[in-house]
Amino acid sequence: MKKTHSLSSYLLLLISLTAIASATTIGVTYSTPASISGNVHLSPDRIAEKVVSMKIPAVRLLDSNPAMIRAFAYTNVSLFLSVPNPLVPLLASNRSLAMRWVYRHVLPFHPRTKISIISVGNDVISYSPDVSPFLLRAMQNIHLSLVDLRIFKISVSTTFSFFNIVPTAFPPSSAQFQQPNGEVIIRPILQFLERTNSSFLINLYPYNMYRSSFSIPIGFALFEEFPFNFRDDLTTGVRYRNLFDMMVDAVISSMAVMGHENLPVIVAETGWPSSGIDASEVDATLLYSEMFLKALLTHLRSGCGTPLRKEGVSEVYIFELVEKDAKQGIRNWGLLHHNMTSKYSFEFSDGGKAGRYKELLIGFFVQVVMIGYGYVCRNLRLSFGISENVILGLTHRNYRS
């Protein structure tokens, strides 16, 4: 009876550690700045070295600079590439151009550089509405180009912006994609993503939603645990304790309305600005930015997911790695100053905790196997009188064969 109880305990610990080890991948976005502040030279190699030193596992390259893609070769950092919006109609109308893009941005580097996903366009519905009808065909042409080159592990998708496709976030259970774009643009893309085992990509900023609604308290947006920092979805009976989860579940509900509730979701951009466009943005401060990022990282690493999706989002990309030139009229989002020093007191890296969890997981797995092995041996000896040496001999013989 004791052995059974011990085995059950180990199995429970194994399940718990598996949940921890499978927490969301947390990366950053990076785009080559139009101008460099002072005499600081942000070469691709320097950026790659900094990312590796910060133990960041994934980077979204907003401009997919080939030199930057090359700089991440052999680093084991996963890259999320982007096709610029102006190229979308060209790639949709000309298959050979799509193949040429793949030849320039993927083929010279794969698999030395670990490219995981390509986003064809970024928030096209908002920035380039005339381009939207070309999205699906461009995605198909990039996907077919990869298949023709026998590259099967790079998925193809496009990135939407939460505010431009989900008009109402609360309650999440009632959320739907905005029409007519939902039926005309998004539904066919969801079908493509389902067929190709790709993910739904979304830019999701709690800061923007907090600013757009006076009814949302700052603590709810910053993951703070206060008595009244929650919202109840009366339809599902779910209680939301932070704005990020509420927005993610609104996306999941919107996909469910169209029959694609199980598609993986990747948050392609999120963050909180450390300074605003002008003095009216009183909540765009370094303090609130640090509070949001620390709480978000803790929440994502907990592996607890969201109320509607226990595994949560598969990846989240913090906007952004290096801040742009500080000037009037732009928000600052960077984790690093122009000289590549950190703006915050906390470390982006988890300090190797993920590696230690994996080691613990392997250790517990070995112990569970050994307990099971001892249990089988004991029962064989009791039932058939087979010695342990005979059992070991049979095991080794079967292993060699």
Side-chain angles (χ1 to χ4, degrees), residues 75-131:
T75 62
N76 205 35
V77 174
S78 177
L79 293 189
F80 172 154
L81 305 185
S82 303
V83 175
N85 291 349
L87 283 184
V88 172
L90 299 174
L91 300 183
S93 60
N94 193 325
R95 172 80 184 280
S96 64
L97 286 178
M99 179 65 81
R100 194 179 303 173
W101 191 92
V102 172
Y103 262 98
R104 176 171 166 77
H105 295 87
V106 177
L107 193 61
F109 317 109
H110 174 80
R112 295 179 297 279
T113 299
K114 188 178 174 183
I115 302 169
S116 62
I117 191 166
I118 297 171
S119 173
V120 179
N122 178 33
D123 191 14
V124 168
I125 288 177
S126 171
Y127 288 106
S128 311
D130 295 340
V131 173

Side-chain angles (χ1 to χ4, degrees), residues 204 243-253 265 267 306 313:
L204 187 150
L243 186 53
F244 181 87
D245 283 354
M246 193 176 83
M247 294 172 75
V248 169
D249 277 0
V251 172
I252 292 168
S253 291
V265 174
V267 176
T306 70
V313 293

Side-chain angles (χ1 to χ4, degrees), residues 20 32 46 69 95 106 268 326 357 387:
I20 293 169
T32 306
R46 187 177 179 195
I69 300 171
R95 172 80 184 280
V106 177
Y357 283 134
S387 70

Side-chain angles (χ1 to χ4, degrees), residues 326-372:
K327 58 184 179 182
Q328 193 69 21
I330 66 167
R331 296 186 180 106
N332 279 313
W333 304 80
L335 293 170
L336 305 175
H337 292 294
H338 304 116
N339 61 1
M340 303 288 280
T341 58
S342 178
K343 287 168 58 178
Y344 302 101
S345 60
F346 70 94
E347 292 294 328
F348 185 91
S349 165
D350 63 357
K353 288 178 184 176
R356 290 197 292 275
Y357 283 134
K358 288 178 183 176
E359 290 172 7
L360 284 170
L361 184 61
I362 292 169
F364 274 106
F365 178 74
V366 170
Q367 289 188 50
V368 168
V369 169
M370 293 306 294
I371 290 169

Side-chain angles (χ1 to χ4, degrees), residues 373 388-400:
Y373 170 76
E388 188 168 351
N389 288 334
V390 172
I391 296 168
L392 282 171
L394 289 170
T395 304
H396 291 164
R397 188 171 64 192
N398 288 335
Y399 175 76
R400 288 197 301 273

Side-chain angles (χ1 to χ4, degrees), residues 197-215:
N197 294 317
S198 301
S199 302
F200 188 81
L201 312 179
I202 188 80
N203 296 335
L204 187 150
Y205 288 96
Y207 173 76
N208 291 338
M209 174 152 284
Y210 162 72
R211 290 190 70 231
S212 69
S213 175
F214 292 109
S215 65

